[in-house]
Amino acid sequence: MASSSGPSLNEELQCSICLEVFTDPVTTPCGHNFCRTCLNKCWTNSQTCFCPLCKEKFSKRPDLKINTTLGKLVQHFKKLNQESEVFCDFCGERKQKAVKTCLMCQSSYCDSHLEPHRRVPRLKKHKLINPVENLEDYICQKHERPLELFCRDDQACVCLSCTEGEHRTHNTVPIEEESREKKTLASNDCFLTSSQTVHISNWMIIGLGVLLVAALMYTSSCDSLLSYIPCVLIPEAMSCPATKSSPAKRCQSDQLKMMEENIELKRRNTELEQEITDLKKRNTELEQENTELKRRNTELKRRNTELKKQFIEQLTQTGLKFVQKFAVDVTLDPDTADPSLILSDDGKQVRHGDVKQNVPENPKRFNFCFSILTKQGFSSGRFYYEVQVKGKTGWRLGVARESINREAITLTPEHGVWILLLMNENYILFDSPFVSLSQRVKLEKVGVFVDYEEGLVSFYDAESRSHIYSFTGQTFTDKLYPYFHPGFNDEGKNSNPLIITPVR
Protein backbone atom coordinates (compact mmCIF):
# COMPACT_ATOMS: atom_id res chain seq x y z
CA MET A 1 0.00 0.00 0.00
CA ALA A 2 1.35 3.42 -0.95
CA SER A 3 2.12 6.11 1.58
CA SER A 4 0.15 9.35 1.67
CA SER A 5 3.03 11.62 2.67
CA GLY A 6 3.65 12.88 -0.87
CA PRO A 7 0.13 14.15 -1.64
CA SER A 8 -0.26 15.67 1.84
CA LEU A 9 2.91 17.80 1.54
CA ASN A 10 1.96 18.92 -1.96
CA GLU A 11 -1.53 20.03 -0.83
CA GLU A 12 -0.30 21.74 2.36
CA LEU A 13 2.06 23.92 0.29
CA GLN A 14 -0.65 25.01 -2.18
CA CYS A 15 -2.39 28.39 -2.10
CA SER A 16 -6.17 27.78 -1.96
CA ILE A 17 -6.74 30.76 -4.31
CA CYS A 18 -4.44 29.96 -7.26
CA LEU A 19 -4.05 26.23 -6.38
CA GLU A 20 -0.32 26.50 -7.00
CA VAL A 21 2.68 26.17 -4.67
CA PHE A 22 3.00 29.30 -2.45
CA THR A 23 4.84 32.38 -3.74
CA ASP A 24 5.83 34.82 -0.94
CA PRO A 25 3.47 33.10 1.58
CA VAL A 26 1.71 35.32 4.15
CA THR A 27 -0.42 34.26 7.14
CA THR A 28 -3.80 35.81 8.08
CA PRO A 29 -4.78 36.42 11.76
CA CYS A 30 -7.01 33.32 11.58
CA GLY A 31 -3.97 31.14 10.77
CA HIS A 32 -4.45 30.39 7.04
CA ASN A 33 -1.73 30.88 4.40
CA PHE A 34 -1.94 32.39 0.90
CA CYS A 35 0.32 33.85 -1.78
CA ARG A 36 0.81 37.54 -0.97
CA THR A 37 -0.18 38.61 -4.52
CA CYS A 38 -3.27 36.36 -4.55
CA LEU A 39 -4.53 37.71 -1.20
CA ASN A 40 -3.89 41.36 -2.17
CA LYS A 41 -5.87 40.87 -5.43
CA CYS A 42 -8.69 39.25 -3.50
CA TRP A 43 -8.91 42.16 -1.06
CA THR A 44 -8.52 44.77 -3.79
CA ASN A 45 -11.79 43.56 -5.39
CA SER A 46 -13.66 43.47 -2.06
CA GLN A 47 -15.00 46.20 0.24
CA THR A 48 -14.13 44.18 3.37
CA CYS A 49 -11.08 42.10 4.29
CA PHE A 50 -11.85 38.47 5.09
CA CYS A 51 -10.15 35.07 4.92
CA PRO A 52 -10.97 33.45 1.53
CA LEU A 53 -10.84 30.01 3.22
CA CYS A 54 -12.81 30.29 6.50
CA LYS A 55 -14.58 33.63 5.65
CA GLU A 56 -13.57 35.28 8.98
CA LYS A 57 -13.87 39.09 8.62
CA PHE A 58 -11.22 41.54 9.90
CA SER A 59 -12.13 44.97 11.30
CA LYS A 60 -9.15 46.52 9.51
CA ARG A 61 -6.78 45.35 6.85
CA PRO A 62 -4.04 43.23 8.53
CA ASP A 63 -0.39 44.18 8.09
CA LEU A 64 0.74 41.03 6.28
CA LYS A 65 4.38 39.95 6.45
CA ILE A 66 5.99 37.07 4.61
CA ASN A 67 6.06 33.82 6.61
CA THR A 68 9.80 33.18 6.34
CA THR A 69 9.65 29.66 7.81
CA LEU A 70 6.94 28.55 5.36
CA GLY A 71 8.81 30.34 2.56
CA LYS A 72 11.96 28.33 3.23
CA LEU A 73 9.93 25.11 3.23
CA VAL A 74 8.37 26.06 -0.13
CA GLN A 75 11.81 26.80 -1.59
CA HIS A 76 13.06 23.43 -0.38
CA PHE A 77 10.00 21.68 -1.85
CA LYS A 78 10.43 23.45 -5.22
CA LYS A 79 14.10 22.49 -5.24
CA LEU A 80 13.23 18.83 -4.69
CA ASN A 81 10.68 18.95 -7.52
CA GLN A 82 13.16 20.60 -9.88
CA GLU A 83 15.72 17.87 -9.33
CA SER A 84 13.52 15.31 -11.17
CA GLU A 85 11.91 16.32 -14.48
CA VAL A 86 8.65 14.63 -15.51
CA PHE A 87 8.00 14.08 -19.21
CA CYS A 88 4.78 13.60 -21.17
CA ASP A 89 3.68 9.96 -21.47
CA PHE A 90 2.16 10.53 -24.93
CA CYS A 91 4.90 12.40 -26.83
CA GLY A 92 6.76 10.57 -29.60
CA GLU A 93 10.53 10.48 -29.97
CA ARG A 94 10.97 14.06 -28.81
CA LYS A 95 9.55 14.05 -25.27
CA GLN A 96 8.10 17.32 -23.93
CA LYS A 97 8.05 18.26 -20.25
CA ALA A 98 4.78 17.44 -18.50
CA VAL A 99 2.69 20.34 -17.14
CA LYS A 100 0.10 18.24 -15.27
CA THR A 101 -0.43 14.68 -13.97
CA CYS A 102 -3.96 13.17 -14.00
CA LEU A 103 -4.80 10.93 -11.03
CA MET A 104 -7.78 9.34 -12.80
CA CYS A 105 -5.85 8.50 -16.02
CA GLN A 106 -2.62 7.85 -14.05
CA SER A 107 -0.61 9.65 -16.75
CA SER A 108 1.40 12.85 -17.23
CA TYR A 109 0.67 15.30 -20.07
CA CYS A 110 2.48 18.12 -21.87
CA ASP A 111 0.50 21.27 -22.70
CA SER A 112 -0.71 20.02 -26.11
CA HIS A 113 -1.70 16.52 -24.96
CA LEU A 114 -3.52 18.02 -21.96
CA GLU A 115 -5.97 19.83 -24.29
CA PRO A 116 -8.74 17.12 -24.13
CA HIS A 117 -8.81 17.46 -20.33
CA ARG A 118 -9.64 21.15 -20.78
CA ARG A 119 -12.33 20.55 -23.41
CA VAL A 120 -14.14 17.21 -22.90
CA PRO A 121 -16.77 17.52 -20.08
CA ARG A 122 -16.01 14.11 -18.62
CA LEU A 123 -12.24 14.66 -18.60
CA LYS A 124 -12.63 18.15 -17.13
CA LYS A 125 -13.79 16.46 -13.88
CA HIS A 126 -10.54 14.53 -13.51
CA LYS A 127 -8.14 15.47 -10.69
CA LEU A 128 -5.05 17.27 -12.10
CA ILE A 129 -1.94 17.97 -10.00
CA ASN A 130 1.55 19.31 -10.65
CA PRO A 131 3.72 16.77 -12.54
CA VAL A 132 4.93 13.90 -10.33
CA GLU A 133 6.80 10.69 -11.01
CA ASN A 134 5.66 8.81 -7.93
CA LEU A 135 1.99 8.24 -8.86
CA GLU A 136 1.96 5.30 -6.47
CA ASP A 137 1.76 7.85 -3.62
CA TYR A 138 -1.68 8.90 -4.90
CA ILE A 139 -3.19 5.65 -6.22
CA CYS A 140 -3.86 2.33 -4.48
CA GLN A 141 -1.42 0.02 -6.27
CA LYS A 142 -3.54 -3.06 -5.55
CA HIS A 143 -6.91 -1.82 -6.81
CA GLU A 144 -5.83 1.19 -8.96
CA ARG A 145 -8.32 3.49 -7.25
CA PRO A 146 -7.77 6.90 -5.53
CA LEU A 147 -6.78 6.79 -1.87
CA GLU A 148 -9.73 8.43 -0.07
CA LEU A 149 -9.95 6.68 3.33
CA PHE A 150 -7.58 6.48 6.32
CA CYS A 151 -6.97 3.24 8.27
CA ARG A 152 -6.35 4.16 11.91
CA ASP A 153 -5.13 0.64 12.72
CA ASP A 154 -2.33 0.71 10.11
CA GLN A 155 -1.97 4.55 9.98
CA ALA A 156 -2.14 4.48 6.16
CA CYS A 157 -4.37 5.73 3.35
CA VAL A 158 -6.57 3.12 1.64
CA CYS A 159 -9.18 2.98 -1.13
CA LEU A 160 -12.78 1.76 -0.93
CA SER A 161 -11.83 -1.65 -2.32
CA CYS A 162 -9.30 -2.11 0.50
CA THR A 163 -12.08 -1.77 3.09
CA GLU A 164 -13.77 -4.82 1.62
CA GLY A 165 -10.54 -6.83 1.64
CA GLU A 166 -7.59 -6.88 4.02
CA HIS A 167 -8.80 -3.78 5.92
CA ARG A 168 -12.43 -4.89 6.29
CA THR A 169 -12.15 -5.34 10.09
CA HIS A 170 -10.07 -2.20 10.61
CA ASN A 171 -11.17 1.21 11.82
CA THR A 172 -11.34 3.28 8.62
CA VAL A 173 -12.64 6.87 8.29
CA PRO A 174 -12.67 9.47 5.48
CA ILE A 175 -9.33 11.28 5.12
CA GLU A 176 -11.09 14.63 5.71
CA GLU A 177 -12.42 13.43 9.10
CA GLU A 178 -8.96 12.25 10.23
CA SER A 179 -7.43 15.58 9.13
CA ARG A 180 -10.09 17.59 11.03
CA GLU A 181 -9.54 15.65 14.27
CA LYS A 182 -5.76 16.10 14.16
CA LYS A 183 -6.10 19.83 13.45
CA THR A 184 -8.60 20.19 16.33
CA LEU A 185 -6.23 18.45 18.77
CA ALA A 186 -3.38 20.71 17.67
CA SER A 187 -5.42 23.93 18.03
CA ASN A 188 -6.72 22.98 21.50
CA ASP A 189 -3.16 22.87 22.83
CA CYS A 190 -2.50 26.45 21.70
CA PHE A 191 -5.07 28.34 23.79
CA LEU A 192 -5.77 28.97 27.49
CA THR A 193 -9.26 28.38 28.83
CA SER A 194 -11.41 31.38 29.78
CA SER A 195 -11.10 30.56 33.52
CA GLN A 196 -7.27 30.54 33.25
CA THR A 197 -7.36 33.93 31.53
CA VAL A 198 -9.59 35.40 34.27
CA HIS A 199 -7.28 33.96 36.95
CA ILE A 200 -4.20 35.59 35.40
CA SER A 201 -5.94 38.95 34.96
CA ASN A 202 -6.97 39.00 38.67
CA TRP A 203 -3.38 38.63 39.89
CA MET A 204 -2.12 41.21 37.38
CA ILE A 205 -4.61 43.76 38.77
CA ILE A 206 -3.80 42.94 42.41
CA GLY A 207 -0.02 43.01 41.77
CA LEU A 208 -0.24 46.40 40.05
CA GLY A 209 -2.21 47.82 42.98
CA VAL A 210 0.32 46.57 45.56
CA LEU A 211 3.24 48.15 43.65
CA LEU A 212 1.47 51.52 43.38
CA VAL A 213 0.52 51.55 47.09
CA ALA A 214 4.11 50.69 48.08
CA ALA A 215 5.49 53.50 45.91
CA LEU A 216 3.10 56.05 47.39
CA MET A 217 3.87 54.96 50.96
CA TYR A 218 7.59 55.31 50.25
CA THR A 219 7.09 58.83 48.84
CA SER A 220 4.90 59.80 51.81
CA SER A 221 7.53 58.59 54.32
CA CYS A 222 10.28 60.63 52.61
CA ASP A 223 8.10 63.76 52.74
CA SER A 224 7.47 63.26 56.49
CA LEU A 225 11.20 62.96 57.17
CA LEU A 226 11.92 66.17 55.28
CA SER A 227 9.45 68.02 57.53
CA TYR A 228 11.71 67.37 60.57
CA ILE A 229 14.91 68.83 59.01
CA PRO A 230 15.71 72.20 60.70
CA CYS A 231 15.37 75.14 58.40
CA VAL A 232 18.86 76.40 59.28
CA LEU A 233 20.37 73.23 57.79
CA ILE A 234 18.91 73.99 54.36
CA PRO A 235 21.60 75.72 52.26
CA GLU A 236 20.93 79.17 50.90
CA ALA A 237 21.61 77.91 47.41
CA MET A 238 18.55 75.62 47.62
CA SER A 239 16.19 78.62 47.89
CA CYS A 240 14.60 80.15 44.86
CA PRO A 241 16.87 82.99 43.53
CA ALA A 242 13.85 85.03 42.55
CA THR A 243 12.57 85.36 46.12
CA LYS A 244 13.91 87.81 48.69
CA SER A 245 12.25 86.20 51.76
CA SER A 246 14.27 84.74 54.61
CA PRO A 247 15.45 81.09 54.61
CA ALA A 248 12.96 80.23 57.38
CA LYS A 249 9.97 81.54 55.40
CA ARG A 250 11.16 79.81 52.23
CA CYS A 251 11.47 76.52 54.16
CA GLN A 252 7.94 76.87 55.56
CA SER A 253 6.62 77.51 52.05
CA ASP A 254 8.38 74.40 50.71
CA GLN A 255 7.04 72.28 53.57
CA LEU A 256 3.50 73.50 52.89
CA LYS A 257 3.87 72.66 49.21
CA MET A 258 5.14 69.15 49.99
CA MET A 259 2.25 68.60 52.41
CA GLU A 260 -0.23 69.57 49.71
CA GLU A 261 1.44 67.21 47.24
CA ASN A 262 1.42 64.45 49.83
CA ILE A 263 -2.32 64.95 50.45
CA GLU A 264 -2.94 64.84 46.68
CA LEU A 265 -0.94 61.61 46.35
CA LYS A 266 -2.88 60.02 49.20
CA ARG A 267 -6.16 61.07 47.57
CA ARG A 268 -5.10 59.57 44.25
CA ASN A 269 -3.95 56.42 46.05
CA THR A 270 -7.39 56.11 47.69
CA GLU A 271 -9.05 56.51 44.28
CA LEU A 272 -6.76 53.87 42.79
CA GLU A 273 -7.54 51.45 45.62
CA GLN A 274 -11.24 52.05 45.02
CA GLU A 275 -10.79 51.39 41.28
CA ILE A 276 -8.96 48.15 42.09
CA THR A 277 -11.79 47.13 44.43
CA ASP A 278 -14.35 47.94 41.72
CA LEU A 279 -12.37 45.93 39.15
CA LYS A 280 -12.18 42.94 41.50
CA LYS A 281 -15.91 43.21 42.14
CA ARG A 282 -16.66 43.43 38.40
CA ASN A 283 -14.34 40.51 37.74
CA THR A 284 -16.19 38.45 40.34
CA GLU A 285 -19.50 39.35 38.67
CA LEU A 286 -18.10 38.32 35.28
CA GLU A 287 -16.97 35.00 36.72
CA GLN A 288 -20.46 34.47 38.13
CA GLU A 289 -22.03 35.37 34.77
CA ASN A 290 -19.61 33.03 32.99
CA THR A 291 -20.50 30.21 35.38
CA GLU A 292 -24.20 30.86 34.82
CA LEU A 293 -23.74 30.86 31.03
CA LYS A 294 -21.88 27.56 31.22
CA ARG A 295 -24.68 26.12 33.37
CA ARG A 296 -27.35 27.31 30.93
CA ASN A 297 -25.35 25.96 27.97
CA THR A 298 -25.05 22.57 29.67
CA GLU A 299 -28.78 22.63 30.39
CA LEU A 300 -29.58 23.49 26.75
CA LYS A 301 -27.40 20.63 25.52
CA ARG A 302 -29.08 18.25 27.95
CA ARG A 303 -32.52 19.51 26.87
CA ASN A 304 -31.66 19.15 23.18
CA THR A 305 -30.45 15.60 23.80
CA GLU A 306 -33.70 14.76 25.60
CA LEU A 307 -35.82 16.30 22.81
CA LYS A 308 -33.90 14.36 20.19
CA LYS A 309 -34.33 11.16 22.19
CA GLN A 310 -38.06 11.83 22.65
CA PHE A 311 -38.48 12.58 18.95
CA ILE A 312 -36.76 9.34 17.93
CA GLU A 313 -38.77 7.39 20.51
CA GLN A 314 -42.02 8.86 19.16
CA LEU A 315 -40.93 8.08 15.62
CA THR A 316 -40.00 4.52 16.65
CA GLN A 317 -43.32 4.00 18.44
CA THR A 318 -45.22 5.30 15.44
CA GLY A 319 -43.26 2.87 13.21
CA LEU A 320 -44.02 2.07 9.60
CA LYS A 321 -47.73 2.67 10.03
CA PHE A 322 -47.08 6.43 9.84
CA VAL A 323 -44.18 6.70 7.38
CA GLN A 324 -45.62 4.23 4.84
CA LYS A 325 -48.35 6.79 4.17
CA PHE A 326 -45.73 8.74 2.24
CA ALA A 327 -44.67 5.87 -0.06
CA VAL A 328 -43.51 6.95 -3.54
CA ASP A 329 -42.93 5.00 -6.75
CA VAL A 330 -39.32 5.46 -7.88
CA THR A 331 -37.31 3.96 -10.76
CA LEU A 332 -33.57 3.85 -11.36
CA ASP A 333 -32.05 6.42 -13.73
CA PRO A 334 -29.69 4.74 -16.27
CA ASP A 335 -28.13 8.14 -17.08
CA THR A 336 -26.59 8.19 -13.58
CA ALA A 337 -25.51 4.51 -13.45
CA ASP A 338 -21.81 3.65 -13.09
CA PRO A 339 -20.64 1.74 -16.23
CA SER A 340 -20.09 -1.39 -14.07
CA LEU A 341 -23.76 -1.62 -12.99
CA ILE A 342 -26.44 -3.76 -14.69
CA LEU A 343 -30.10 -2.57 -14.56
CA SER A 344 -33.32 -4.48 -15.18
CA ASP A 345 -35.61 -3.38 -18.01
CA ASP A 346 -38.24 -2.04 -15.60
CA GLY A 347 -35.68 0.07 -13.70
CA LYS A 348 -36.43 -1.63 -10.37
CA GLN A 349 -33.30 -3.82 -9.95
CA VAL A 350 -29.54 -3.14 -10.03
CA ARG A 351 -26.49 -5.35 -9.51
CA HIS A 352 -22.73 -5.12 -10.04
CA GLY A 353 -21.19 -6.61 -13.19
CA ASP A 354 -17.65 -7.90 -13.58
CA VAL A 355 -16.72 -5.58 -16.49
CA LYS A 356 -17.47 -2.01 -17.50
CA GLN A 357 -20.07 -1.48 -20.18
CA ASN A 358 -19.75 0.87 -23.14
CA VAL A 359 -22.23 3.61 -22.20
CA PRO A 360 -22.73 7.17 -23.50
CA GLU A 361 -20.99 10.00 -21.68
CA ASN A 362 -23.29 11.92 -19.36
CA PRO A 363 -22.43 14.62 -16.76
CA LYS A 364 -24.88 12.95 -14.35
CA ARG A 365 -23.11 9.56 -14.53
CA PHE A 366 -21.12 8.16 -11.59
CA ASN A 367 -17.57 6.97 -12.34
CA PHE A 368 -15.47 4.65 -10.15
CA CYS A 369 -18.26 4.78 -7.51
CA PHE A 370 -20.56 1.86 -8.54
CA SER A 371 -23.54 4.07 -7.62
CA ILE A 372 -26.87 5.09 -9.15
CA LEU A 373 -29.74 7.51 -8.37
CA THR A 374 -33.44 7.40 -9.24
CA LYS A 375 -35.17 9.50 -11.88
CA GLN A 376 -37.37 11.07 -9.19
CA GLY A 377 -35.97 13.77 -6.88
CA PHE A 378 -37.62 15.63 -3.97
CA SER A 379 -37.10 19.20 -2.73
CA SER A 380 -39.88 19.36 -0.12
CA GLY A 381 -42.32 17.29 1.91
CA ARG A 382 -41.94 13.64 2.94
CA PHE A 383 -41.25 10.45 0.98
CA TYR A 384 -40.68 6.74 1.71
CA TYR A 385 -39.49 3.72 -0.31
CA GLU A 386 -38.47 0.11 0.37
CA VAL A 387 -35.62 -2.02 -1.04
CA GLN A 388 -35.07 -5.78 -0.85
CA VAL A 389 -31.47 -6.65 0.24
CA LYS A 390 -32.03 -10.36 0.90
CA GLY A 391 -29.04 -12.64 0.21
CA LYS A 392 -26.49 -9.82 -0.18
CA THR A 393 -23.20 -9.50 1.74
CA GLY A 394 -22.62 -5.80 1.02
CA TRP A 395 -24.70 -2.77 -0.06
CA ARG A 396 -25.45 0.93 0.54
CA LEU A 397 -28.87 2.63 0.67
CA GLY A 398 -30.16 6.09 1.48
CA VAL A 399 -30.44 9.52 -0.13
CA ALA A 400 -27.98 11.93 -1.74
CA ARG A 401 -28.21 15.56 -2.79
CA GLU A 402 -28.24 16.46 -6.48
CA SER A 403 -24.84 18.22 -6.34
CA ILE A 404 -23.00 15.11 -5.04
CA ASN A 405 -19.51 14.49 -6.49
CA ARG A 406 -20.00 11.90 -9.25
CA GLU A 407 -16.28 10.96 -9.43
CA ALA A 408 -15.41 10.21 -5.77
CA ILE A 409 -18.05 9.98 -3.03
CA THR A 410 -17.32 10.77 0.63
CA LEU A 411 -19.90 8.97 2.73
CA THR A 412 -20.78 11.74 5.23
CA PRO A 413 -23.73 14.14 5.65
CA GLU A 414 -21.29 17.05 5.23
CA HIS A 415 -20.72 15.87 1.65
CA GLY A 416 -24.41 15.33 0.91
CA VAL A 417 -24.83 11.58 1.58
CA TRP A 418 -27.09 9.99 4.23
CA ILE A 419 -26.81 6.19 3.99
CA LEU A 420 -26.98 2.88 5.83
CA LEU A 421 -24.45 0.31 4.58
CA LEU A 422 -23.63 -3.35 5.21
CA MET A 423 -19.94 -4.25 5.34
CA ASN A 424 -18.27 -7.22 7.05
CA GLU A 425 -21.61 -8.21 8.66
CA ASN A 426 -21.86 -4.78 10.36
CA TYR A 427 -24.43 -2.07 9.63
CA ILE A 428 -22.64 1.29 9.53
CA LEU A 429 -23.75 4.97 9.41
CA PHE A 430 -21.31 7.86 8.91
CA ASP A 431 -23.00 10.18 11.41
CA SER A 432 -21.19 12.42 13.93
CA PRO A 433 -19.97 10.40 15.68
CA PHE A 434 -19.43 7.25 13.54
CA VAL A 435 -22.13 4.60 14.30
CA SER A 436 -21.79 0.81 13.97
CA LEU A 437 -24.85 -1.43 14.64
CA SER A 438 -24.96 -5.17 15.18
CA GLN A 439 -28.44 -6.35 14.17
CA ARG A 440 -29.67 -9.54 15.84
CA VAL A 441 -31.51 -10.50 12.65
CA LYS A 442 -29.97 -9.89 9.23
CA LEU A 443 -31.94 -7.31 7.24
CA GLU A 444 -33.90 -8.56 4.22
CA LYS A 445 -35.92 -5.46 3.33
CA VAL A 446 -35.01 -1.86 4.28
CA GLY A 447 -37.36 1.13 4.39
CA VAL A 448 -36.02 4.69 3.90
CA PHE A 449 -38.05 7.73 5.09
CA VAL A 450 -37.20 11.44 4.57
CA ASP A 451 -38.85 14.54 6.05
CA TYR A 452 -37.29 17.39 4.04
CA GLU A 453 -38.47 20.31 6.21
CA GLU A 454 -37.61 18.58 9.52
CA GLY A 455 -34.13 17.56 8.29
CA LEU A 456 -34.77 13.86 9.04
CA VAL A 457 -33.55 10.65 7.35
CA SER A 458 -34.74 7.38 8.99
CA PHE A 459 -34.12 3.70 8.25
CA TYR A 460 -36.49 0.81 9.10
CA ASP A 461 -36.45 -2.99 9.09
CA ALA A 462 -39.50 -3.43 6.85
CA GLU A 463 -39.87 -7.12 7.73
CA SER A 464 -39.95 -6.73 11.53
CA ARG A 465 -41.51 -3.25 11.18
CA SER A 466 -38.92 -1.76 13.58
CA HIS A 467 -36.86 1.44 13.57
CA ILE A 468 -33.09 1.11 12.91
CA TYR A 469 -31.56 4.63 13.03
CA SER A 470 -32.30 8.31 12.24
CA PHE A 471 -30.17 11.24 11.08
CA THR A 472 -31.76 14.27 12.82
CA GLY A 473 -31.22 18.04 12.71
CA GLN A 474 -30.00 18.02 9.09
CA THR A 475 -30.30 20.99 6.71
CA PHE A 476 -31.38 20.25 3.13
CA THR A 477 -30.99 22.85 0.36
CA ASP A 478 -30.54 20.71 -2.80
CA LYS A 479 -33.00 18.29 -4.33
CA LEU A 480 -32.66 14.82 -2.72
CA TYR A 481 -32.56 11.54 -4.69
CA PRO A 482 -32.81 7.91 -3.47
CA TYR A 483 -29.27 6.46 -3.64
CA PHE A 484 -28.19 2.84 -4.35
CA HIS A 485 -24.86 0.94 -4.30
CA PRO A 486 -25.26 -2.86 -4.79
CA GLY A 487 -21.71 -3.68 -3.62
CA PHE A 488 -19.06 -5.67 -5.50
CA ASN A 489 -20.02 -8.94 -7.18
CA ASP A 490 -17.29 -10.68 -5.11
CA GLU A 491 -16.98 -13.66 -7.47
CA GLY A 492 -20.71 -14.33 -7.28
CA LYS A 493 -21.00 -14.17 -3.46
CA ASN A 494 -22.81 -10.81 -3.69
CA SER A 495 -24.50 -11.21 -7.07
CA ASN A 496 -28.09 -10.68 -5.86
CA PRO A 497 -29.56 -7.36 -7.03
CA LEU A 498 -31.00 -4.52 -4.97
CA ILE A 499 -34.74 -4.55 -5.72
CA ILE A 500 -37.14 -1.61 -5.31
CA THR A 501 -40.31 -3.27 -4.03
CA PRO A 502 -43.91 -1.99 -3.76
CA VAL A 503 -44.89 -0.74 -0.30
CA ARG A 504 -47.60 -2.92 1.26
Side-chain angles (χ1 to χ4, degrees):
M1 188 62 58
S3 168
S4 65
S5 59
S8 297
L9 180 59
N10 189 23
E11 292 176 1
E12 290 294 335
L13 297 181
Q14 283 184 355
C15 172
S16 59
I17 298 177
C18 65
L19 301 180
E20 300 291 345
V21 178
F22 288 121
T23 301
D24 295 335
V26 294
T27 305
T28 59
C30 57
H32 295 121
N33 301 304
F34 306 92
C35 298
R36 181 170 62 178
T37 302
C38 294
L39 190 57
N40 285 334
K41 287 182 178 179
C42 180
W43 286 353
T44 299
N45 298 327
S46 176
Q47 295 181 352
T48 59
C49 294
F50 61 92
C51 174
L53 196 58
C54 68
K55 307 304 180 185
E56 179 177 343
K57 294 183 180 180
F58 310 120
S59 57
K60 62 179 182 179
R61 183 163 182 161
D63 184 15
L64 300 175
K65 296 181 180 177
I66 295 177
N67 188 329
T68 55
T69 301
L70 181 57
K72 290 179 180 178
L73 182 60
V74 170
Q75 291 178 1
H76 180 66
F77 178 75
K78 289 181 178 179
K79 183 178 179 182
L80 290 177
N81 284 350
Q82 291 172 355
E83 292 176 356
S84 176
E85 292 184 343
V86 180
F87 293 94
C88 178
D89 293 328
F90 296 89
C91 287
E93 296 180 358
R94 194 170 182 179
K95 293 280 188 180
Q96 297 292 324
K97 289 184 179 179
V99 295
K100 291 291 180 182
T101 296
C102 177
L103 292 183
M104 308 304 292
C105 301
Q106 300 185 32
S107 301
S108 298
Y109 299 90
C110 65
D111 192 61
S112 59
H113 285 114
L114 186 65
E115 189 272 334
H117 279 76
R118 297 175 176 141
R119 174 175 49 83
V120 180
R122 182 177 179 182
L123 296 179
K124 288 169 70 176
K125 298 179 180 179
H126 286 194
K127 175 66 175 179
L128 299 176
I129 63 173
N130 291 331
V132 294
E133 289 183 331
N134 54 334
L135 265 174
E136 63 274 8
D137 286 342
Y138 297 79
I139 303 296
C140 175
Q141 298 303 301
K142 183 175 181 180
H143 302 104
E144 296 184 353
R145 298 189 65 189
L147 299 167
E148 53 185 336
L149 298 172
F150 185 79
C151 176
R152 288 177 171 171
D153 292 345
D154 294 339
Q155 291 293 299
C157 292
V158 297
C159 71
L160 281 174
S161 299
C162 293
T163 61
E164 299 184 3
E166 59 184 289
H167 293 267
R168 62 184 177 183
T169 60
H170 292 184
N171 182 14
T172 57
V173 297
I175 287 179
E176 293 84 354
E177 179 180 337
E178 180 70 12
S179 176
R180 282 197 303 271
E181 289 190 10
K182 289 183 177 179
K183 289 181 179 179
T184 301
L185 288 174
S187 62
N188 286 343
D189 293 337
C190 297
F191 297 97
L192 289 171
T193 64
S194 60
S195 60
Q196 289 173 319
T197 306
V198 171
H199 181 70
I200 292 173
S201 62
N202 285 345
W203 283 108
M204 290 177 65
I205 294 171
I206 294 172
L208 177 61
V210 170
L211 289 174
L212 289 173
V213 171
L216 292 173
M217 290 176 67
Y218 176 77
T219 304
S220 176
S221 299
C222 292
D223 292 341
S224 300
L225 288 173
L226 286 173
S227 65
Y228 290 100
I229 300 176
C231 297
V232 294
L233 297 180
I234 301 178
E236 184 74 21
M238 294 181 63
S239 62
C240 178
T243 180
K244 296 182 180 180
S245 59
S246 64
K249 290 183 178 180
R250 289 198 299 272
C251 182
Q252 292 175 357
S253 176
D254 292 339
Q255 287 180 344
L256 181 61
K257 183 177 180 181
M258 285 188 294
M259 289 177 63
E260 292 175 348
E261 292 177 351
N262 188 37
I263 293 172
E264 177 63 20
L265 286 173
K266 288 181 178 180
R267 184 188 64 80
R268 292 175 59 185
N269 179 56
T270 302
E271 291 178 352
L272 181 59
E273 288 178 341
Q274 183 60 44
E275 290 180 4
I276 293 174
T277 302
D278 293 341
L279 285 173
K280 289 170 67 177
K281 180 180 178 182
R282 179 55 180 161
N283 188 62
T284 302
E285 292 174 354
L286 289 174
E287 286 181 336
Q288 292 174 349
E289 291 177 6
N290 187 41
T291 302
E292 177 63 18
L293 287 174
K294 287 183 178 179
R295 186 194 65 78
R296 292 174 61 186
N297 186 47
T298 302
E299 178 64 21
L300 284 174
K301 287 183 179 179
R302 185 189 64 80
R303 182 59 179 163
N304 286 337
T305 302
E306 289 181 355
L307 289 174
K308 182 178 179 180
K309 183 179 179 181
Q310 291 174 6
F311 178 77
I312 293 176
E313 287 178 353
Q314 291 174 359
L315 191 64
T316 303
Q317 293 170 1
T318 305
L320 291 183
K321 186 176 181 181
F322 172 75
V323 300
Q324 284 182 332
K325 296 178 181 179
F326 304 97
V328 293
D329 182 18
V330 293
T331 54
L332 300 170
D333 185 359
D335 290 341
T336 66
D338 183 280
S340 299
L341 299 183
I342 299 176
L343 278 65
S344 62
D345 293 338
D346 61 359
K348 298 294 184 178
Q349 301 184 24
V350 59
R351 62 183 177 87
H352 179 261
D354 292 322
V355 295
K356 288 188 175 182
Q357 304 174 82
N358 185 15
V359 295
E361 286 191 8
N362 194 307
K364 298 193 299 182
R365 190 177 305 284
F366 287 93
N367 291 296
F368 308 104
C369 301
F370 310 117
S371 304
I372 185 172
L373 302 178
T374 61
K375 295 179 180 179
Q376 296 79 16
F378 305 88
S379 57
S380 63
R382 301 165 177 168
F383 64 92
Y384 172 83
Y385 68 95
E386 292 181 351
V387 182
Q388 180 177 307
V389 297
K390 184 177 181 180
K392 296 190 64 61
T393 60
W395 47 262
R396 301 173 190 171
L397 289 175
V399 292
R401 65 189 181 198
E402 187 174 27
S403 59
I404 186 176
N405 188 337
R406 307 297 170 108
E407 298 289 339
I409 299 178
T410 302
L411 306 176
T412 62
E414 290 80 5
H415 292 83
V417 185
W418 295 264
I419 64 167
L420 169 67
L421 64 88
L422 171 63
M423 183 174 64
N424 303 326
E425 299 183 355
N426 287 322
Y427 296 97
I428 299 171
L429 303 106
F430 290 95
D431 202 350
S432 297
F434 177 87
V435 178
S436 179
L437 305 174
S438 295
Q439 293 289 104
R440 295 180 180 178
V441 180
K442 194 169 184 179
L443 296 175
E444 295 186 355
K445 185 182 292 186
V446 177
V448 183
F449 172 69
V450 175
D451 189 325
Y452 195 98
E453 281 73 23
E454 290 295 331
L456 173 71
V457 180
S458 297
F459 297 90
Y460 292 85
D461 181 346
E463 292 295 327
S464 65
R465 306 183 69 80
S466 60
H467 175 260
I468 300 174
Y469 187 84
S470 291
F471 291 89
T472 59
Q474 307 299 306
T475 301
F476 303 134
T477 55
D478 287 9
K479 184 178 287 187
L480 298 180
Y481 288 83
Y483 168 86
F484 301 80
H485 184 302
F488 298 103
N489 189 28
D490 196 13
E491 299 179 352
K493 297 177 183 178
N494 191 34
S495 60
N496 284 6
L498 291 175
I499 304 175
I500 302 174
T501 60
V503 178
R504 298 192 302 270

